[in-house]
């Protein structure tokens, strides 16, 4: 490709073949740029989705921790209530 460009620079007359090649290269360059731009856009969307997923995971982890703590308190209270009830039953039996 470099050779063709250098040869074109030296020519005063450019053949139809060379013009066609130049146009083809320019069109190819435009298509490649469009592909690059689309890939960048898709990458930005993916990064945004990933960051949103990270936030969702952090939020859900916090919810899980709060639910676990609340459940542990309920279990503790139930165990205490069971112990009290057992003690009352043992007191009634004696």
């Amino acid at each position: 490709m470099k050779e063709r460009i250098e040869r074109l620079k030296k020519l005063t007359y450019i053949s139809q073949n060379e013009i066609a090649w130049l146009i083809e290269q320019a069109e190819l360059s435009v298509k490649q740029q469009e592909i690059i731009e689309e890939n960048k856009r898709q990458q930005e969307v993916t990064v945004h989705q990933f960051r949103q997923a990270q936030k969702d995971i952090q939020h859900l982890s916090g919810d899980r921790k709060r639910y676990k703590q609340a459940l542990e308190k309920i279990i503790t209270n139930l165990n205490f209530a069971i112990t009290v009830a057992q003690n009352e039953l043992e007191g009634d039996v004696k």
Side-chain angles (χ1 to χ4, degrees):
M1 187 157 133
K2 286 182 182 181
E3 293 170 9
R4 288 185 102 173
I5 292 171
E6 290 303 316
R7 197 171 97 216
L8 286 171
K9 287 179 182 177
K10 294 176 185 175
L11 293 176
T12 56
Y13 166 78
I14 300 175
S15 70
Q16 287 297 110
N17 287 343
E18 297 297 337
I19 290 173
W21 178 82
L22 283 172
I23 291 170
E24 187 179 301
Q25 294 303 310
E27 289 172 344
L28 180 61
S29 177
V30 168
K31 287 179 184 177
Q32 288 174 340
Q33 189 61 39
E34 289 171 353
I35 291 169
I36 289 169
E37 291 300 319
E38 178 61 19
N39 287 342
K40 284 181 183 179
R41 189 192 66 75
Q42 289 178 1
Q43 184 179 22
E44 289 171 0
V45 168
T46 301
V47 167
H48 176 72
Q49 290 173 336
F50 178 77
R51 289 185 178 147
Q52 186 60 46
Q54 280 182 320
K55 288 178 184 177
D56 292 345
I57 290 169
Q58 289 173 346
H59 179 71
L60 291 171
S61 294
D63 286 350
R64 182 181 175 272
K65 184 178 179 181
R66 286 188 295 276
Y67 290 142
K68 183 179 177 184
Q69 290 171 344
L71 185 58
E72 287 172 350
K73 286 180 183 178
I74 291 169
I75 291 170
T76 300
N77 291 339
L78 286 173
N79 283 335
F80 179 75
I82 291 169
T83 302
V84 168
Q86 285 175 339
N87 289 340
E88 288 178 3
L89 284 174
E90 288 176 6
D92 289 343
V93 173
K94 291 182 183 177

